[in-house]
Amino acid sequence: MSVHFEEKKSFTVIGKVGQGLSAESRSWIPKIWQEANVKFEEVRDLAKTDHEGNIIGIWGAMSDISESFERWTDQGKYLAGCEVLENSTAPIGWTKWIIPSYKYAVIKCNQSTYEEKFEYMIQEFLPNNVSVK
C-alpha cells in the first residue's frame, strides 16, 4: 500500500465526532462515517473546493480524548468530515476541529477500502515507521 508523508499547515475540518475504545475502533468509526455521509448536504457548502468545484479534503482526523491531537491511548476521538475555510461555523450537530500543523502519513482510500487501509495504517505502517515522541 502506498503511504507518503505530507507536511500540512494548520487546517479546519467540520465533521461528525465520536469517541471509543481504541481496540474497538473497527466497530464505532464506520458509524461516524455513515452519519457524516448521510447528513453531508448540511455542510457541503462549507467544504473547500478546487477550481472545478471538487471537494479537496475529506478527513478522518484522530485525537486523544482531550482533543490535544496526541496519539490514542486505550481510547480515542475520531472526526469524519471535510476540510473547510477556517472561519466556517459548524452547524448544530457537527463539530469543528482546527488541526495543527504536522507531518502526516497519508494513504488514499475510498469507502470500500477505508477499513482495510485504516487497519494497515494503525497496525502495520505507523508502528513500523513512526517513532513515539
Side-chain angles (χ1 to χ4, degrees):
M1 290 191 204
S2 178
V3 177
H4 71 276
F5 287 96
E6 182 178 314
E7 289 190 39
K8 187 162 175 68
K9 293 184 190 249
S10 179
F11 61 101
T12 304
V13 174
I14 290 179
K16 293 294 184 173
V17 70
Q19 177 178 332
L21 295 173
S22 300
E24 296 174 3
S25 61
R26 292 179 74 177
S27 66
W28 57 270
I29 289 177
K31 293 173 187 171
I32 300 168
W33 277 111
Q34 288 170 353
E35 182 180 4
N37 288 334
V38 166
K39 297 183 178 188
F40 184 71
E41 289 303 316
E42 296 176 9
V43 295
R44 177 180 290 282
D45 291 341
L46 301 174
K48 277 188 176 178
T49 56
D50 64 15
H51 65 280
E52 295 176 356
N54 300 309
I55 295 170
I56 62 167
I58 300 294
W59 288 89
M62 299 169 68
S63 179
D64 60 313
I65 58 174
S66 72
E67 296 185 13
S68 299
F69 300 101
E70 296 294 328
R71 288 180 182 227
W72 283 6
T73 55
D74 61 329
Q75 292 189 56
K77 283 192 175 183
Y78 188 93
L79 183 74
C82 63
E83 190 168 344
V84 299
L85 297 173
E86 64 185 52
N87 62 349
S88 298
T89 300
I92 295 171
W94 292 81
T95 299
K96 177 179 173 178
W97 279 3
I98 299 172
I99 312 288
S101 298
Y102 276 133
K103 187 178 207 178
Y104 293 91
V106 178
I107 189 168
K108 292 200 181 259
C109 65
N110 57 42
Q111 286 182 325
S112 64
T113 62
Y114 174 79
E115 186 175 336
E116 172 190 9
K117 291 187 178 188
F118 178 81
E119 196 69 25
Y120 170 76
M121 287 289 280
I122 298 299
Q123 299 298 327
E124 294 180 43
F125 184 82
L126 292 175
N128 294 320
N129 293 281
V130 179
S131 61
V132 179
K133 293 181 189 179

